[in-house]
Amino acid sequence: MSRSPHMPAPWTCILAGALLLCAALQQAMAAAPEASSGSAQAQALKATHQRMSDKLDRSSLGRPIQLDSIETPGGLQGDVYAVVEHPLSEISAELKGAGHWCDVLTLHINNRRCRIGTDAEGRVTLTLYVVRRYDKPLDQAFELPFIYRVTGASPEHLSVELSAANGPLGTSGYKVTLEVLALDDRKSFLHFSYSYDHNMMVRLTTQAYLATFGRDKVGFTVTGKTADGKPDYIRGLRGLVERNAMRYFLTLDAYLSAPASDQAERRQRHWFAAAEQYPRQLHEVELDTYLALKREDRQREGAGR
């Protein structure tokens, strides 16, 4: 009578252990892809901070800020890098969820309403109602529906992304990204990016406006000196995206300065004062007009806003 072949006991144990180890590794890899991605993001942001530290220390903007802009193949992108006097734990507590982002974004003078909800796929949405000029009524605002998601979160790093496939007037591919790296228990390094695409008609129309009615509008990048020795700032499309990127960065900074729900006007005053530090680029209205617009918006939305 033949006997069934079998492995010696030690080899059986080794094979079983290897199978268990393989299963455990697969589970760990499946459970933590975001953690691995977040670690890579944190390392990349740390390298960016190290590379830019001299520029931040020598910034001409009155604080450690560096602002860059590019014309992408299909649109525009503005990036703000800054060291802020807020610890990562505080920033994460306020901005890791979508709940406070409407309070942040509506500090921008052209953003008149904001709604948080979910789409058909269960994703968190944030719909912004934007007017082309601050003095236009809400019924002339266009809707910008963002998908909100946290793309990385750890004790040393936070990454949040808002994206909108379609926008108004021939624009599309909106993407807003916030990355934050802990520097110490008081400071963080923040990268804010704002970009969108536009079709050729929008590009030509915008260029025509900036060459005529908007010819005095400038951005922050210094391209040389004027005849009287003053800085000559970038104009045109890059100037446009730089102004808007800075306005949005200042909304984040203003909100973090007064995050409590009953401090809406304090945040507004902070945002306006910060914008007025750059009057050549960002001055639009007087403080009383800005506060009146935001007071009207709060009253319309209810006392809780």
Side-chain angles (χ1 to χ4, degrees):
M1 184 173 172
S2 62
R3 299 178 62 184
S4 300
H6 63 276
M7 292 185 180
W11 284 104
T12 305
C13 293
I14 292 171
L15 178 59
L19 291 173
L20 288 172
L21 177 60
C22 183
L25 288 172
Q26 288 178 332
Q27 280 188 328
M29 292 174 65
E34 291 188 1
S36 176
S37 174
S39 177
Q41 290 175 327
Q43 291 302 314
L45 193 57
K46 187 177 295 185
T48 299
H49 175 253
Q50 292 172 347
R51 186 176 69 252
M52 302 187 71
S53 59
D54 286 344
K55 284 186 177 181
L56 292 167
D57 290 341
R58 295 183 286 103
S59 174
S60 62
L61 297 174
R63 53 186 295 191
I65 297 177
Q66 172 69 23
L67 198 154
D68 297 328
S69 62
I70 57 171
E71 291 192 48
T72 63
L76 296 165
Q77 179 175 323
D79 292 273
V80 180
Y81 302 88
V83 174
V84 295
E85 298 284 340
H86 302 286
L88 177 59
S89 57
E90 174 187 313
I91 298 173
S92 294
E94 299 299 332
L95 301 178
K96 186 178 176 181
H100 296 151
W101 273 86
C102 278
D103 293 326
V104 172
L105 297 176
T106 51
L107 290 169
H108 191 301
I109 192 170
N110 287 12
N111 295 345
R112 303 300 302 276
R113 173 182 282 175
C114 182
R115 292 282 187 269
I116 295 175
T118 55
D119 65 6
E121 299 177 33
R123 297 175 298 183
V124 177
T125 62
L126 192 152
T127 302
L128 206 54
Y129 296 76
V130 185
V131 293
R132 298 186 70 180
R133 271 181 52 91
Y134 69 89
D135 54 355
K136 298 297 182 182
L138 181 62
D139 59 12
Q140 294 185 22
F142 58 80
E143 296 184 22
L144 199 51
F146 288 100
I147 302 297
Y148 171 91
R149 67 191 187 107
V150 176
T151 56
S154 73
E156 67 170 353
H157 173 259
L158 173 70
S159 179
V160 174
E161 180 182 290
L162 290 84
S163 58
N166 298 302
L169 308 172
T171 60
S172 62
Y174 282 81
K175 187 175 180 181
V176 175
T177 302
L178 170 67
E179 293 184 282
V180 189
L181 177 74
L183 296 180
D184 55 37
D185 59 0
R186 295 185 303 107
K187 295 181 180 180
S188 302
F189 177 57
L190 185 150
H191 171 215
F192 176 83
S193 180
Y194 169 81
S195 64
Y196 62 92
D197 295 332
H198 51 213
N199 61 31
M200 184 57 69
M201 181 62 70
V202 172
R203 181 184 181 87
L204 293 175
T205 301
T206 306
Q207 286 176 327
Y209 164 76
L210 292 170
T212 53
F213 299 105
R215 61 183 177 274
D216 292 330
K217 294 182 177 293
V218 299
F220 291 85
T221 298
V222 176
T223 59
K225 289 185 179 296
T226 62
D228 57 0
K230 294 181 180 179
D232 192 15
Y233 296 103
I234 197 164
R235 300 169 186 267
L237 293 172
R238 284 182 57 192
L240 172 69
V241 77
E242 287 187 4
R243 291 192 298 276
N244 223 22
M246 179 63 90
R247 285 192 178 101
Y248 276 115
F249 162 74
L250 294 177
T251 68
L252 292 162
D253 197 43
Y255 178 82
L256 291 169
S257 73
S261 60
D262 61 349
Q263 294 184 314
E265 185 165 316
R266 181 181 169 192
R267 292 195 293 268
Q268 290 158 11
R269 289 179 178 274
H270 187 109
W271 182 87
F272 187 88
E276 286 298 295
Q277 292 179 18
Y278 314 106
R280 180 78 174 85
Q281 292 87 359
L282 302 183
H283 179 75
E284 293 277 346
V285 298
E286 300 306 316
L287 175 61
D288 289 346
T289 302
Y290 171 72
L291 292 177
L293 285 170
K294 294 306 177 183
R295 193 175 301 117
E296 175 188 326
D297 293 343
R298 285 205 311 278
Q299 291 171 349
R300 183 182 58 246
E301 299 302 308
R305 293 284 299 212

